[in-house]
Amino acid sequence: MLIVLIVLAFGFNAKTQNKVLIIGIDGCRPDAMQEAKTPNLNKLMENGAYTFSAQTDPISSSGICWTAMLTGVWHEKHKVISNDYKNPNIKEYPHFFRRVKEQKPELKTYSVVNWGPLHKILQEGDADIANYLLTDEKVTKRVVDLLQDENPDVMFVQLDEVDGAGHKYDYVPESKKYLEAIEKADAQVGQMLDAIKSRKTYDDEEWLVLVSTDHGGSNFGHGKDIPEHTTIFYIASGAHVKQGEINQQVNVTDVAVTAMKYLEIEIKESWNLDGKAVGI
Ligand SMILES: [Zn+2]
């Protein structure tokens, strides 16, 4: 009897809702991020798993890399090879929201981005809310509002202005204006994390926060297969994360798979994904 009661008690305690927030900071080079003052990202790393030597797609342009992050496969499969998004192979390799919805249609999927083309891989029904807003400030405000007033289960957010600063002032740790843009993005991440904590249902929820970027940069640009462009960071933070620096190779394609695993979506062999779950 006692054992039954204990099991019941633990059973109830464990019945929390797993939720995922993915924040993508466009064009944020890991070495510059480490040089910038980023108290919010630091806190996520302290409570999480992280690496500064993850890899993005060798064609290190935004459309290619974001598609790899959100489908879990490299460009050879998703077929987005430029920011024009011509003929993406979303029938075979859809946005991971679609796979979430197939297995758990009750889960709410939200995507809020600054850079609109990101949504070209969304198909009818994939996202309950898909907004593209033209400044990071508007994106942040919308995300904070949605976290406070709505009930997302998985949300993808893209901030774009760090990449803008890289194109204008260069993507190097010595570039003061670039570091300032990273610090601004960090503050916006902080606002989103505060919004999670102030949710009325926060005590019944277990949030996994994933933060990464699509590519780095150098000489005021990116797109090449060189370490300055293809080396990215990856942070996974939350209650069920193995803390500390990650020792295995992490790739941009791991983000969607990690999110799905956390949401208890069965990762099917037949999906032929390139990514794996990392840090949880
Ligand atoms: Zn980009």
Side-chain angles (χ1 to χ4, degrees):
M1 185 63 188
L2 185 62
I3 289 166
V4 170
L5 283 175
I6 289 168
V7 168
L8 275 176
F10 275 97
F12 279 113
N13 281 339
K15 212 182 167 201
T16 49
Q17 188 63 45
N18 280 5
K19 290 175 181 279
V20 181
L21 173 65
I22 303 171
I23 304 171
I25 305 174
D26 205 300
C28 185
R29 226 171 92 162
D31 54 351
M33 192 191 97
Q34 285 171 276
E35 188 67 27
K37 289 181 191 73
T38 55
N40 297 293
L41 293 172
N42 294 355
K43 213 177 291 170
L44 287 174
M45 282 186 270
E46 280 163 28
N47 299 309
Y50 60 91
T51 174
F52 302 112
S53 54
Q55 286 297 308
T56 196
D57 201 285
I59 310 176
S60 55
S61 294
S62 300
I64 293 102
C65 300
W66 288 126
T67 304
M69 183 184 288
L70 295 167
T71 60
V73 297
W74 300 108
H75 73 259
E76 288 85 354
K77 290 178 185 169
H78 67 58
K79 304 288 186 202
V80 174
I81 51 162
S82 78
N83 286 347
D84 298 337
Y85 282 79
K86 277 185 195 141
N87 306 315
N89 189 13
I90 46 180
K91 287 280 167 281
E92 262 183 286
Y93 300 103
H95 192 296
F96 82 96
F97 282 3
R98 194 167 195 85
R99 304 198 188 277
V100 170
K101 287 280 187 188
E102 271 165 18
Q103 289 185 24
K104 297 193 173 185
E106 71 280 10
L107 295 190
K108 295 282 180 239
T109 55
Y110 295 5
S111 181
V112 183
V113 303
N114 179 333
W115 192 63
L118 257 163
H119 282 164
K120 289 190 177 175
I121 60 164
L122 284 174
Q123 301 175 74
E124 186 72 36
D126 288 0
D128 292 289
I129 290 177
N131 295 143
Y132 84 92
L133 307 158
L134 293 168
T135 69
D136 287 356
E137 197 181 327
K138 284 182 187 164
V139 166
T140 304
K141 188 177 182 311
R142 177 70 173 149
V143 170
V144 167
D145 287 348
L146 288 170
L147 284 167
Q148 277 167 1
D149 305 334
E150 304 286 335
N151 196 25
D153 292 291
V154 50
M155 174 142 64
F156 173 74
V157 179
Q158 181 251 0
L159 300 174
D160 198 55
E161 288 165 14
V162 169
D163 187 56
H167 281 295
K168 203 167 172 187
Y169 306 110
D170 208 2
Y171 299 78
V172 286
E174 296 78 25
S175 171
K176 245 184 123 183
K177 296 271 193 191
Y178 181 56
L179 297 193
E180 278 171 22
I182 294 173
E183 287 165 6
K184 194 176 159 199
D186 177 78
Q188 288 163 334
V189 168
Q191 288 180 50
M192 297 177 208
L193 299 177
D194 286 346
I196 287 180
K197 284 182 200 121
S198 64
R199 285 173 58 75
K200 287 187 287 273
T201 45
Y202 180 68
D203 288 343
D204 305 318
E205 299 169 351
E206 293 278 17
W207 283 84
L208 173 69
V209 179
L210 302 174
V211 191
S212 189
T213 181
D214 54 341
H215 52 72
S218 64
N219 286 320
F220 307 93
H222 54 84
K224 294 181 183 164
D225 184 10
I226 55 173
E228 293 87 343
H229 295 190
T230 62
T231 308
I232 60 171
F233 68 92
Y234 171 89
I235 303 170
S237 191
H240 302 295
V241 170
K242 294 174 215 149
Q243 294 190 5
E245 193 159 2
I246 301 167
N247 292 320
Q248 70 187 121
Q249 180 57 51
V250 177
N251 298 308
V252 71
T253 49
D254 297 337
V255 175
V257 182
T258 303
M260 285 193 282
K261 181 105 192 258
Y262 190 78
L263 294 168
E264 295 173 317
I265 300 297
E266 184 203 343
I267 312 294
K268 293 187 179 166
E269 199 80 32
S270 61
W271 292 349
N272 200 16
L273 300 184
D274 294 321
K276 63 198 175 292
V278 181
I280 55 169

